[in-house]
């Protein structure tokens, strides 16, 4: 008799609990200045991938002309952002470090100074890069000190 009541309780309670759990995992539609989302909805379920693009004169603050965010447990993977087309996203420079912008991107004209990791040095003594019209000018290369030493000896076969 007790198991009958337990079965009835679980039958009534379980669907309600599942619905409450799935509703809690949804993400509200994000906002985006100078951009748009595909598809447009008021809420998005867990694991939904939402693509976004930016209006003319702007671009996503990530690599490429389209970007993607993912709804994870009621929160978006990152805040979508459109920046001016002439701004630069952080460069990828192997074996190096530089001061990252607090906004995650750099305005046109910004100059970054690159520091090579231990055991590496600047190739051609270039240690800075400048954001010009949305791209970095002359990105420095950090090469192994042992490679540059062998290269300076001009030991080519």
């Amino acid at each position: 008799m007790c198991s009958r009541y337990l079965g009835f309780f679980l039958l009534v309670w379980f669907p309600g609990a599942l619905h409450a759990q799935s509703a809690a995992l949804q993400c509200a539609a994000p906002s985006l200045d100078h951009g748009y989302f595909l598809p447009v909805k008021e809420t998005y379920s867990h694991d939904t991938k939402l693509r976004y693009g930016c209006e003319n004169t702007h671009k996503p603050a990530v690599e490429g002309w389209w970007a993607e965010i993912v709804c994870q447990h009621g929160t978006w993977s990152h805040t979508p952002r459109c920046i001016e087309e002439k701004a630069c996203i952080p460069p990828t420079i192997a074996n190096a470090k530089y001061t990252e912008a607090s906004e995650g991107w750099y305005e046109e004209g910004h100059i970054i100074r690159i520091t090579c990791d231990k055991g590496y040095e600047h190739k051609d003594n270039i240690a800075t890069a400048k954001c010009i019209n949305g791209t970095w000018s002359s990105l420095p290369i950090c090469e192994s000190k042992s490679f540059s030493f062998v290269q300076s000896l001009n030991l080519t076969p």
Side-chain angles (χ1 to χ4, degrees):
M1 179 85 162
C2 185
S3 65
R4 181 183 289 165
Y5 288 118
L6 179 61
F8 177 74
F9 173 75
L10 289 175
L11 185 65
V12 172
W13 175 81
F14 193 66
L18 284 177
H19 176 72
Q21 186 179 20
S22 65
L25 296 176
Q26 293 184 338
C27 292
S31 62
L32 179 62
D33 292 336
H34 307 288
Y36 50 90
F37 297 101
L38 293 174
V40 177
K41 296 181 181 179
E42 288 186 26
T43 59
Y44 299 85
S45 59
H46 177 71
D47 278 341
T48 297
K49 293 179 182 177
L50 181 59
R51 292 179 57 111
Y52 68 93
C54 300
E55 299 168 352
N56 288 342
T57 71
H58 286 78
K59 63 183 179 182
V62 296
E63 191 69 43
W65 288 103
W66 284 95
E68 187 175 86
I69 55 176
V70 180
C71 176
Q72 294 289 309
H73 306 289
T75 305
W76 291 107
S77 55
H78 68 273
T79 302
R81 189 149 190 198
C82 290
I83 60 175
E84 290 185 18
E85 213 169 42
K86 291 184 176 189
C88 292
I89 61 172
T92 301
I93 305 170
N95 309 306
K97 293 177 186 64
Y98 55 89
T99 304
E100 294 184 23
S102 58
E103 301 88 15
W105 53 274
Y106 301 87
E107 291 183 9
E108 182 177 28
H110 189 93
I111 297 173
I112 56 173
R113 174 168 287 288
I114 288 82
T115 304
C116 293
D117 294 342
K118 187 175 182 177
Y120 294 85
E121 62 187 9
H122 294 286
K123 181 179 179 181
D124 303 327
N125 292 323
I126 298 172
T128 61
K130 184 176 183 177
C131 176
I132 300 174
N133 201 23
T135 58
W136 291 102
S137 69
S138 60
L139 276 176
I141 296 172
C142 291
E143 61 184 8
S144 171
K145 287 183 179 180
S146 58
F147 176 76
S148 61
F149 173 74
V150 169
Q151 195 176 26
S152 70
L153 294 176
N154 201 13
L155 299 175
T156 54

